[in-house]
Amino acid sequence: MTDPGPARSAAATASAADHEPAVQGDELDGGSRGAPSEHAAGAAAPAGDPVGTTAGDAAAPAGPRTAPHPVSKAAGSGLTPRARVGLLVTLILGSLTSLPALSMDMYLPALPEVADTLGTPAATAQLTLTACLLGLAAGQLVVGPMSDQFGRRRPLLIGMSAYVLASAACALAPTIETLIVCRVVQGLAGAAGIVIARAVVRDMYDGLAMARFFSTLMLIGGLAPILAPVLGGQILRFTDWRGVFLILAGAGVLITVVTARSLPETLPPDGRQKGGVPNALRTMRGLFADRVFTGYLVAGSFSFAALFSYVSASPFVMQEIYGASPQTFSLLFMVNSIGLVAAGQINGKVLVGRVPLDRVLGFGLCMTVTAATALLLLTSGAFGHAGLFPVAAWLCVLMTGMGFVMPNANSQGLMRAPHAAGSASALLGTAQFLVGAVAVPLVGIAGEHTAVPMAVVQLCALTIAVGAFAGLCRPWRSRG
């Protein structure tokens, strides 16, 4: 297996030694040898550097120094090791990765009300979720390469400012068509936070340290799907769905101000891509040419589709089919999200460094496929009429399994592209939201009175994810 295309496209701005960390990470993700894993963890920071210890790497042996990752040049740009791992910076990155949950989960309990207020069928109301997903997918393709070329801060602040305006416009939308358009714009703008947060993590970390930090972000970002539906359900006691969007606009203002004041630039000028759009297209083509990167992209994308089919269908499944109130639905959604966060923390604090990342990813995929199979049997009536709590229990198992799948799929994919983190993050995120957007209309294709389409979409998506992971990533083989 040769080095991924982006590493070759960056040859003009990086020495041959700069490719070394990519090889370390490549050996790491196969999990075939212990030494490369330790070495990759040490490569994120030299011994004594607080970057390694703050992310939970204190126990990892500090391997010999290798040729520096381009982020090592960030010292000249005012980014100190302490600033990289400060609590406030970590919270900012977690908040930015929470934007999809803030934009959708807080809005979920209001979906039936949107359909009633605007006089539209449930399937059309669900298109407001699809619209936001499509915006998030397309926006990442634009913002990712821009952040590789112009740095992380400028595109991020522009995108967050636009997110605030789009959220306010959603609150004022008079028709379902206008709301759908505003949701597309909201997704386009919110994409900046998601893709750049991942790119910043890739700027700062490599190997096991990056996998651990992604799990830390999952703890912070996981609070959003836990709290957002509950908060949305409570907001609906005092206002309507328009008030939900006004609160989203306020949250966007807060995140934008704190980001502008406290998030440093992590990509120095001498580490940025040159050549504009043609070079960005070459970089992305090189990424797609990397079979292993494509495998992680497909596995992560279709896993996300299974997750989002649950997100989009659960308000109708829980409330319309099984009779849960908006508050009960919010509590069940919270429990499922706690399972997702707990699995992410087990992954980052216990398994990373002890179990090969591919093995944990494979376990998570098996767990989710089992849950999807059980859900299909329950919702199709194979065991008679299924009540609310058996269905909710297996949905919790599915969400918990995602905590082992998503952080490892993303970190393994990003390790393939050390010199084009923005473009790699954009492709990973775009694929996830694009496939998720396609899944949303399918879960309601048979109407509001059956949960079978949701279970079918989940099982099919996860089967494709398993096939891509096994056929393209080939985790049983060493990639050193």
Side-chain angles (χ1 to χ4, degrees):
M1 182 68 197
T2 60
D3 288 337
R8 295 194 298 271
S9 67
T13 57
S15 65
D18 281 330
H19 295 259
E20 185 74 11
V23 178
Q24 307 293 346
D26 207 21
E27 295 172 348
L28 162 70
D29 61 86
S32 57
R33 294 190 295 274
S37 297
E38 298 172 357
H39 185 85
D49 192 334
V51 170
T53 58
T54 305
D57 264 342
R65 289 295 304 274
T66 63
H69 187 277
V71 74
S72 64
K73 302 174 185 177
S77 66
L79 177 63
T80 65
R82 184 176 299 276
R84 294 184 206 169
V85 295
L87 177 61
L88 182 57
V89 172
T90 304
L91 290 174
I92 290 171
L93 295 176
S95 299
L96 292 171
T97 58
S98 299
L99 280 177
L102 287 173
S103 301
M104 297 177 201
D105 295 348
M106 190 184 295
Y107 169 66
L108 286 178
L111 263 181
E113 182 184 342
V114 171
D116 293 339
T117 303
L118 299 180
T120 186
T124 306
Q126 286 177 322
L127 287 178
T128 60
L129 295 175
T130 304
C132 190
L133 278 176
L134 289 174
L136 287 165
Q140 291 184 70
L141 282 179
V142 176
V143 176
M146 284 178 60
S147 72
D148 283 338
Q149 185 174 358
F150 301 110
R152 310 303 186 199
R153 275 179 56 88
R154 197 188 322 171
L156 175 58
L157 294 176
I158 293 173
M160 286 303 302
S161 299
Y163 175 86
V164 172
L165 297 176
S167 298
C170 288
L172 302 175
T175 65
I176 188 65
E177 292 80 11
T178 305
L179 180 59
I180 289 173
V181 171
C182 291
R183 289 283 279 173
V184 170
V185 178
Q186 187 188 40
L188 286 169
I194 306 164
V195 67
I196 292 178
R198 279 198 300 258
V200 167
V201 174
R202 186 61 183 92
D203 290 340
M204 296 188 298
Y205 294 107
D206 198 0
L208 296 179
M210 181 169 60
R212 289 191 177 102
F213 196 81
F214 270 126
S215 292
T216 300
L217 289 187
M218 178 168 285
L219 173 61
I220 301 169
L223 293 175
I226 292 173
L227 298 178
V230 177
L231 181 59
Q234 298 306 314
I235 290 171
L236 292 177
R237 289 179 176 268
F238 306 101
T239 183
D240 59 5
W241 59 271
R242 298 181 189 275
V244 175
F245 283 112
L246 289 177
I247 290 178
L248 287 174
V253 170
L254 178 62
I255 295 173
T256 303
V257 171
V258 176
T259 299
R261 292 175 58 89
S262 304
L263 184 67
E265 178 59 66
T266 59
L267 186 65
D270 57 354
R272 297 175 187 175
Q273 296 286 326
K274 309 297 181 182
V277 174
N279 183 69
L281 293 176
R282 284 194 298 271
T283 298
M284 291 184 177
R285 185 170 64 248
L287 283 165
F288 277 121
D290 179 9
R291 170 180 52 79
V292 180
F293 174 86
T294 303
Y296 289 123
L297 179 145
V298 174
S301 300
F302 280 88
S303 297
F304 185 84
L307 185 153
F308 205 77
S309 67
Y310 155 73
V311 169
S312 62
S314 59
F316 297 98
V317 171
M318 299 294 188
Q319 297 179 68
E320 303 295 333
I321 299 177
Y322 293 103
S325 67
Q327 289 71 39
T328 301
F329 160 72
S330 299
L331 290 174
L332 291 173
F333 198 94
M334 178 183 69
V335 170
N336 293 345
S337 299
I338 289 174
L340 174 69
V341 173
Q345 292 314 291
I346 293 172
N347 176 72
K349 305 301 183 184
V350 179
L351 299 179
V352 170
R354 295 179 175 86
V355 181
L357 299 185
D358 277 343
R359 189 174 299 171
V360 180
L361 175 55
F363 170 78
L365 287 172
C366 291
M367 190 173 176
T368 55
V369 168
T370 301
T373 303
L375 283 168
L376 181 58
L377 293 174
L378 286 173
T379 57
S380 63
F383 302 113
H385 177 71
L388 172 63
F389 290 102
V391 172
W394 279 109
L395 285 171
C396 185
V397 174
L398 186 143
M399 288 286 283
T400 302
M402 291 296 172
F404 298 115
V405 174
M406 299 309 299
N408 291 319
N410 285 331
S411 60
Q412 293 286 71
L414 285 171
M415 272 193 270
R416 306 291 300 181
H419 301 293
S423 296
S425 177
L427 288 178
L428 290 168
T430 296
Q432 288 172 9
F433 286 109
L434 189 60
V435 177
V438 172
V440 169
L442 298 179
V443 299
I445 198 169
E448 305 172 27
H449 305 294
T450 175
V452 171
M454 178 191 72
V456 170
V457 170
Q458 288 172 338
L459 184 57
C460 291
L462 289 168
T463 301
I464 294 173
V466 171
F469 177 61
L472 296 177
C473 300
R474 301 175 187 174
W476 58 87
R477 298 178 59 181
S478 171
R479 304 186 202 115

